[in-house]
Amino acid sequence: MSDPTETNGTAGSAEAAGPAEPAGGGGRRHVRVVLVDDHRMFRTGVQAEIGQTEQTGVEVVGEAADVDQAVTVITATRPEVVLLDVHLPGGGGVEVLRRCAALTADAERPVRFLALSVSDAAEDVIGVIRGGARGYVTKTITGSDLVDSIFRVQEGDAVFSPRLAGFVLDAFASTDAPPVDEDLDRLTQREREVLRLIARGYAYKEIAKQLFISVKTVESHVSAVLRKLQLSNRHELTRWATARRLV
């Protein structure tokens, strides 16, 4: 789709269309999905991987690249499941969840959210789950596992990888609020992503490929992180991140 806010011709108005029927009859499972991610190439890849409806049962009815577009498309199409990136222009995935809270809470036709992100950071996982998402998987997931996760979320299950599930269990089992890290709070979400990858030993080119950004943009983010944290080089940055268990 050239326009990220575009919906396909069969989706129409959700209010007029009513609940989706199984594709092909015979009780075959079917789910209507909206893709929300600010990287067009990634959306195209996911569409190609899971959007062959006859084979997967997944019908991609819309796409969006930022918070405003996401809210518009989700409201117009009323999908069963939204694949939601955590870091989006306009306030991030948490803001999409906040603005779509009424749709999530709809008892008859709930819109359910599955976070799909490059980030595996505890604060990102916990943030979107507190915001109302039903699950969280990373972008290393296979196409078949993603399809399975989508259907599980449609059915009301909560879906996490084992490591990410541990973050959620720990967070909700604790009665103490996590301490505020003022240094970390100075960084944007994208700067935090770059920080973690640098601390894990990734080269600039690898980070650029992982985050779908240019090497020059990676360099700019690293410079901003070093400046904000008053560090001199990537080795000090790695020690800083390791001390805070961000790696």
Side-chain angles (χ1 to χ4, degrees):
M1 300 180 185
S2 58
D3 181 352
T5 64
E6 181 182 351
T7 58
N8 74 23
T10 61
S13 167
E15 294 297 332
E21 295 295 331
R28 182 180 178 186
R29 65 181 189 171
H30 176 259
V31 60
R32 299 168 68 251
V33 172
V34 164
L35 304 178
V36 181
D37 193 287
D38 60 338
H39 298 113
R40 181 178 59 82
M41 289 181 63
F42 180 76
R43 296 197 311 271
T44 301
V46 173
Q47 167 82 285
E49 186 76 18
I50 71 171
Q52 303 300 316
T53 308
E54 288 300 315
Q55 287 74 42
T56 65
V58 176
E59 179 187 2
V60 178
V61 297
E63 298 180 16
D66 60 33
V67 170
D68 288 341
Q69 292 173 3
V71 174
T72 298
V73 172
I74 293 165
T75 302
T77 60
R78 291 294 293 270
E80 283 86 31
V81 177
V82 177
L83 287 180
L84 180 67
D85 193 11
V86 175
H87 302 143
L88 294 167
V94 172
E95 179 64 12
V96 176
L97 288 161
R98 186 187 69 80
R99 291 169 59 178
C100 292
L103 300 180
T104 306
D106 188 324
E108 294 185 1
R109 294 176 56 205
V111 175
R112 295 189 168 106
F113 289 80
L114 173 61
L116 175 61
S117 176
V118 70
S119 171
D120 60 0
E123 64 265 27
D124 289 335
V125 179
I126 294 164
V128 294
I129 298 306
R130 289 192 188 278
R134 292 292 303 174
Y136 195 117
V137 294
T138 62
K139 290 180 178 179
T140 57
I141 193 171
T142 65
S144 59
D145 285 345
L146 181 56
V147 169
D148 181 64
S149 297
I150 289 169
F151 278 106
R152 288 175 59 192
V153 167
Q154 179 196 26
E155 294 162 3
D157 289 346
V159 179
F160 304 93
S161 70
R163 178 170 180 263
L164 303 187
F167 292 156
V168 177
L169 290 172
D170 290 345
F172 285 89
S174 174
T175 57
D176 298 324
V180 175
D181 189 325
E182 294 182 0
D183 289 332
L184 190 61
D185 283 349
R186 294 191 185 101
L187 306 182
T188 67
Q189 291 287 357
R190 181 63 85 193
E191 288 167 355
R192 294 184 191 190
E193 289 179 336
V194 172
L195 163 66
R196 291 189 185 93
L197 293 174
I198 284 287
R200 291 172 183 173
Y202 283 68
Y204 286 4
K205 287 184 179 180
E206 294 172 321
I207 296 172
K209 184 177 181 181
Q210 182 89 349
L211 300 181
F212 298 93
I213 57 180
S214 69
V215 173
K216 188 172 183 179
T217 301
V218 174
E219 293 173 349
S220 296
H221 285 315
V222 172
S223 296
V225 170
L226 292 174
R227 184 181 69 255
K228 290 180 180 180
L229 300 180
Q230 299 182 349
L231 301 173
S232 301
N233 53 56
R234 64 181 297 162
H235 300 295
E236 291 184 1
L237 187 153
T238 299
R239 288 197 297 270
W240 187 93
T242 301
R244 285 162 174 77
R245 302 177 66 183
L246 298 176
V247 181

